[in-house]
Amino acid sequence: MAQVEATTQREIAAEPEKVFDTLADYTGARSALLPEQFSEYEVREGGDGEGTLVHWKLQATSKRVRDCLLEVTEPADGELVEKDRNSSMVTTWRVTPGQREKTARVTVTTVWNGAGGIGGFFERTFAPKGLARIYDQVLARLAAKVE
């Protein structure tokens, strides 16, 4: 099995702390940032960054739905890591200062162990692009909320 990775990023015209706090607000802001590919959103523990346990279903394609139960940690300043208890999927959100004053650069990277064989080839080829498009929508909604 090969590791599959999808990454997307966006520069947002808002203070990095404000952007990070919005991303870490699982009981309030986060659910409003999710596009239609996400369903059954539920905070099961915590709700503000580290210590949060959140559930959702992610429909990446018409045939592929992931049932995700994510443990949230904050291993470093400006970093949220969502580790799925149901799979090898790990999503890392990094918020750093942007290129201009009072801007933030948000990078979201998701990695998981892909399938083998021909199915794995197609997964490694197409899944990162599809997931990047989904997270680009999340980042656009985040920008609209905080800018």
Side-chain angles (χ1 to χ4, degrees):
M1 277 191 264
Q3 192 169 63
V4 183
E5 180 176 320
T7 299
T8 190
Q9 66 180 359
R10 185 181 194 106
E11 187 106 358
I12 296 177
E15 294 281 351
E17 296 79 21
K18 181 178 183 182
V19 173
F20 182 83
D21 289 347
T22 302
L23 281 171
D25 180 10
Y26 288 87
T27 56
R30 182 59 88 90
S31 64
L33 302 178
L34 301 177
E36 63 278 355
Q37 290 90 347
F38 293 85
S39 64
E40 299 184 29
Y41 183 93
E42 176 188 17
V43 175
R44 296 193 177 166
E45 293 176 16
D48 185 22
E50 178 90 27
T52 296
L53 182 65
V54 63
H55 170 267
W56 60 61
K57 288 192 177 180
L58 171 59
Q59 185 160 359
T61 68
S62 61
K63 296 179 183 176
R64 180 72 167 123
V65 178
R66 283 185 181 262
D67 187 0
C68 303
L69 184 59
L70 304 154
E71 296 177 354
V72 179
T73 59
E74 293 183 32
D77 285 347
E79 188 172 273
L80 285 171
V81 176
E82 301 167 345
K83 186 176 185 308
D84 187 12
R85 287 185 179 176
N86 298 332
S87 73
S88 62
M89 188 171 69
V90 177
T91 299
T92 303
W93 299 83
R94 285 188 184 88
V95 180
T96 57
Q99 296 206 349
R100 296 181 318 277
E101 190 176 335
K102 296 184 180 181
T103 65
R105 176 174 300 255
V106 181
T107 304
V108 57
T109 303
T110 300
V111 295
W112 69 94
N113 295 327
I118 191 72
F121 168 78
F122 284 105
E123 181 179 22
R124 289 186 304 278
T125 302
F126 298 108
K129 293 173 187 166
L131 195 55
R133 276 193 301 273
I134 292 169
Y135 278 114
D136 191 53
Q137 291 177 57
V138 174
L139 293 178
R141 290 173 179 219
L142 174 63
K145 182 164 186 63
V146 298
E147 289 183 341

